[in-house]
Short mmCIF file of all heavy atoms in Angstrom, two decimals:
data_model
loop_
_atom_site.label_atom_id
_atom_site.label_comp_id
_atom_site.label_asym_id
_atom_site.label_seq_id
_atom_site.Cartn_x
_atom_site.Cartn_y
_atom_site.Cartn_z
N ARG A 200 1.50 -2.73 16.90
CA ARG A 200 1.43 -1.65 15.95
C ARG A 200 2.64 -1.64 15.04
O ARG A 200 2.54 -1.33 13.87
CB ARG A 200 1.28 -0.29 16.69
CG ARG A 200 0.98 0.81 15.70
CD ARG A 200 0.49 2.03 16.34
NE ARG A 200 -0.89 1.85 16.70
CZ ARG A 200 -1.59 2.67 17.45
NH1 ARG A 200 -1.04 3.71 17.94
NH2 ARG A 200 -2.85 2.46 17.74
N PHE A 229 -3.18 5.95 9.39
CA PHE A 229 -1.90 6.30 10.00
C PHE A 229 -1.67 7.80 10.03
O PHE A 229 -1.01 8.32 10.91
CB PHE A 229 -0.74 5.54 9.35
CG PHE A 229 -0.57 4.18 9.93
CD1 PHE A 229 -1.23 3.06 9.39
CD2 PHE A 229 0.17 3.97 11.06
CE1 PHE A 229 -1.11 1.81 9.94
CE2 PHE A 229 0.32 2.73 11.65
CZ PHE A 229 -0.33 1.64 11.07
N ALA A 230 -2.23 8.52 9.08
CA ALA A 230 -2.11 9.98 9.12
C ALA A 230 -2.89 10.52 10.34
O ALA A 230 -2.42 11.42 11.04
CB ALA A 230 -2.64 10.60 7.86
N PHE A 231 -4.07 9.93 10.63
CA PHE A 231 -4.83 10.34 11.78
C PHE A 231 -4.09 9.99 13.08
O PHE A 231 -4.04 10.76 14.04
CB PHE A 231 -6.22 9.70 11.81
CG PHE A 231 -7.20 10.29 10.83
CD1 PHE A 231 -8.43 9.73 10.64
CD2 PHE A 231 -6.88 11.40 10.05
CE1 PHE A 231 -9.34 10.25 9.72
CE2 PHE A 231 -7.79 11.96 9.14
CZ PHE A 231 -9.01 11.38 8.98
N LEU A 232 -3.49 8.76 13.14
CA LEU A 232 -2.70 8.38 14.30
C LEU A 232 -1.54 9.32 14.50
O LEU A 232 -1.22 9.69 15.63
CB LEU A 232 -2.17 6.96 14.15
CG LEU A 232 -3.16 5.81 14.39
CD1 LEU A 232 -2.54 4.46 13.99
CD2 LEU A 232 -3.58 5.77 15.84
N SER A 233 -0.92 9.73 13.43
CA SER A 233 0.20 10.67 13.49
C SER A 233 -0.26 12.02 14.04
O SER A 233 0.40 12.63 14.88
CB SER A 233 0.85 10.82 12.12
OG SER A 233 1.96 11.70 12.20
N ALA A 234 -1.41 12.48 13.58
CA ALA A 234 -1.95 13.75 14.04
C ALA A 234 -2.29 13.69 15.55
O ALA A 234 -1.98 14.62 16.30
CB ALA A 234 -3.18 14.16 13.25
N GLU A 235 -2.87 12.55 15.97
CA GLU A 235 -3.17 12.41 17.39
C GLU A 235 -1.88 12.36 18.22
O GLU A 235 -1.82 12.93 19.29
CB GLU A 235 -3.99 11.11 17.61
CG GLU A 235 -5.38 11.21 17.09
CD GLU A 235 -6.13 9.87 17.13
OE1 GLU A 235 -5.56 8.87 17.61
OE2 GLU A 235 -7.28 9.84 16.69
N SER A 236 -0.88 11.68 17.69
CA SER A 236 0.41 11.60 18.40
C SER A 236 1.07 12.98 18.50
O SER A 236 1.67 13.30 19.51
CB SER A 236 1.35 10.63 17.69
OG SER A 236 0.82 9.32 17.73
N LYS A 237 0.93 13.77 17.44
CA LYS A 237 1.52 15.11 17.46
C LYS A 237 0.82 15.97 18.52
O LYS A 237 1.43 16.73 19.27
CB LYS A 237 1.38 15.77 16.09
CG LYS A 237 2.06 17.13 16.01
CD LYS A 237 1.99 17.70 14.62
CE LYS A 237 2.74 19.00 14.53
NZ LYS A 237 2.74 19.55 13.18
N ARG A 238 -0.51 15.82 18.62
CA ARG A 238 -1.26 16.54 19.66
C ARG A 238 -0.80 16.09 21.04
O ARG A 238 -0.60 16.92 21.95
CB ARG A 238 -2.76 16.25 19.53
CG ARG A 238 -3.62 17.00 20.56
CD ARG A 238 -4.96 16.34 20.80
NE ARG A 238 -4.77 14.97 21.23
CZ ARG A 238 -5.52 13.94 20.80
NH1 ARG A 238 -6.47 14.12 19.97
NH2 ARG A 238 -5.26 12.71 21.24
N ASP A 239 -0.56 14.78 21.22
CA ASP A 239 -0.06 14.26 22.52
C ASP A 239 1.29 14.89 22.85
O ASP A 239 1.57 15.18 24.01
CB ASP A 239 0.04 12.75 22.47
CG ASP A 239 -1.31 12.06 22.39
OD1 ASP A 239 -2.35 12.73 22.61
OD2 ASP A 239 -1.34 10.85 22.04
N VAL A 240 2.15 15.05 21.85
CA VAL A 240 3.47 15.68 22.07
C VAL A 240 3.29 17.09 22.55
O VAL A 240 3.92 17.55 23.50
CB VAL A 240 4.33 15.62 20.80
CG1 VAL A 240 5.54 16.51 20.91
CG2 VAL A 240 4.74 14.20 20.47
N GLN A 241 2.40 17.84 21.88
CA GLN A 241 2.17 19.22 22.26
C GLN A 241 1.61 19.33 23.67
O GLN A 241 2.02 20.21 24.44
CB GLN A 241 1.23 19.90 21.27
CG GLN A 241 1.86 20.07 19.90
CD GLN A 241 0.87 20.45 18.82
OE1 GLN A 241 -0.32 20.20 18.94
NE2 GLN A 241 1.38 21.07 17.75
N GLU A 242 0.73 18.42 24.05
CA GLU A 242 0.17 18.44 25.39
C GLU A 242 1.24 18.07 26.44
O GLU A 242 1.30 18.71 27.50
CB GLU A 242 -1.01 17.46 25.53
CG GLU A 242 -2.25 17.94 24.78
CD GLU A 242 -3.37 16.92 24.76
OE1 GLU A 242 -3.16 15.77 25.21
OE2 GLU A 242 -4.46 17.27 24.29
N ALA A 243 2.06 17.06 26.12
CA ALA A 243 3.11 16.67 27.04
C ALA A 243 4.14 17.77 27.20
O ALA A 243 4.66 18.02 28.30
CB ALA A 243 3.78 15.37 26.56
N VAL A 295 5.95 10.10 24.17
CA VAL A 295 4.96 10.48 23.14
C VAL A 295 5.67 11.02 21.90
O VAL A 295 5.14 10.87 20.77
CB VAL A 295 3.90 11.47 23.69
CG1 VAL A 295 3.05 10.83 24.74
CG2 VAL A 295 4.52 12.76 24.17
N GLN A 296 6.84 11.62 22.03
CA GLN A 296 7.60 12.06 20.85
C GLN A 296 7.99 10.85 20.03
O GLN A 296 7.91 10.87 18.79
CB GLN A 296 8.86 12.86 21.26
CG GLN A 296 8.58 14.29 21.64
CD GLN A 296 9.83 15.02 22.12
OE1 GLN A 296 10.72 14.42 22.73
NE2 GLN A 296 9.89 16.29 21.84
N HIS A 297 8.41 9.78 20.70
CA HIS A 297 8.81 8.58 19.99
C HIS A 297 7.60 7.98 19.26
O HIS A 297 7.71 7.58 18.10
CB HIS A 297 9.38 7.55 20.98
CG HIS A 297 9.78 6.26 20.35
ND1 HIS A 297 8.98 5.14 20.39
CD2 HIS A 297 10.85 5.95 19.58
CE1 HIS A 297 9.55 4.18 19.71
NE2 HIS A 297 10.69 4.62 19.21
N ARG A 298 6.45 7.93 19.93
CA ARG A 298 5.25 7.40 19.27
C ARG A 298 4.90 8.23 18.04
O ARG A 298 4.57 7.69 16.97
CB ARG A 298 4.08 7.39 20.25
CG ARG A 298 2.89 6.61 19.71
CD ARG A 298 1.72 6.51 20.67
NE ARG A 298 2.12 6.39 22.08
CZ ARG A 298 1.66 7.19 23.03
NH1 ARG A 298 0.80 8.15 22.76
NH2 ARG A 298 2.05 7.04 24.28
N TYR A 299 5.02 9.53 18.16
CA TYR A 299 4.72 10.43 17.02
C TYR A 299 5.70 10.15 15.87
O TYR A 299 5.29 10.04 14.70
CB TYR A 299 4.81 11.90 17.45
CG TYR A 299 4.82 12.85 16.26
CD1 TYR A 299 3.71 12.96 15.44
CD2 TYR A 299 5.95 13.61 15.96
CE1 TYR A 299 3.73 13.82 14.37
CE2 TYR A 299 5.96 14.48 14.90
CZ TYR A 299 4.86 14.59 14.08
OH TYR A 299 4.86 15.42 13.01
N GLU A 300 6.98 10.03 16.18
CA GLU A 300 7.97 9.81 15.12
C GLU A 300 7.76 8.44 14.45
O GLU A 300 7.96 8.31 13.24
CB GLU A 300 9.38 9.93 15.72
CG GLU A 300 9.73 11.36 16.06
CD GLU A 300 10.98 11.50 16.90
OE1 GLU A 300 11.66 10.48 17.17
OE2 GLU A 300 11.27 12.64 17.31
N MET A 301 7.34 7.47 15.21
CA MET A 301 7.10 6.14 14.62
C MET A 301 5.86 6.18 13.69
O MET A 301 5.90 5.59 12.61
CB MET A 301 6.88 5.11 15.73
CG MET A 301 8.11 4.85 16.57
SD MET A 301 9.50 4.24 15.63
CE MET A 301 9.01 2.55 15.37
N THR A 302 4.80 6.86 14.12
CA THR A 302 3.62 6.94 13.24
C THR A 302 3.94 7.79 12.00
O THR A 302 3.49 7.48 10.91
CB THR A 302 2.37 7.50 13.97
OG1 THR A 302 2.68 8.77 14.53
CG2 THR A 302 1.92 6.55 15.03
N GLN A 303 4.75 8.82 12.17
CA GLN A 303 5.12 9.68 11.06
C GLN A 303 5.98 8.85 10.07
O GLN A 303 5.89 9.02 8.87
CB GLN A 303 5.88 10.91 11.52
CG GLN A 303 6.09 11.96 10.45
CD GLN A 303 4.81 12.46 9.87
OE1 GLN A 303 3.86 12.79 10.55
NE2 GLN A 303 4.75 12.51 8.53
#
Side-chain angles (χ1 to χ4, degrees):
R200 188 164 284 169
F229 276 92
F231 286 174
L232 283 172
S233 181
E235 289 172 2
S236 296
K237 185 175 183 178
R238 181 202 59 221
D239 293 344
V240 168
Q241 291 168 337
E242 289 174 353
V295 295
Q296 280 176 327
H297 179 259
R298 190 177 326 126
Y299 168 66
E300 289 168 5
M301 295 300 284
T302 56
Q303 191 59 47

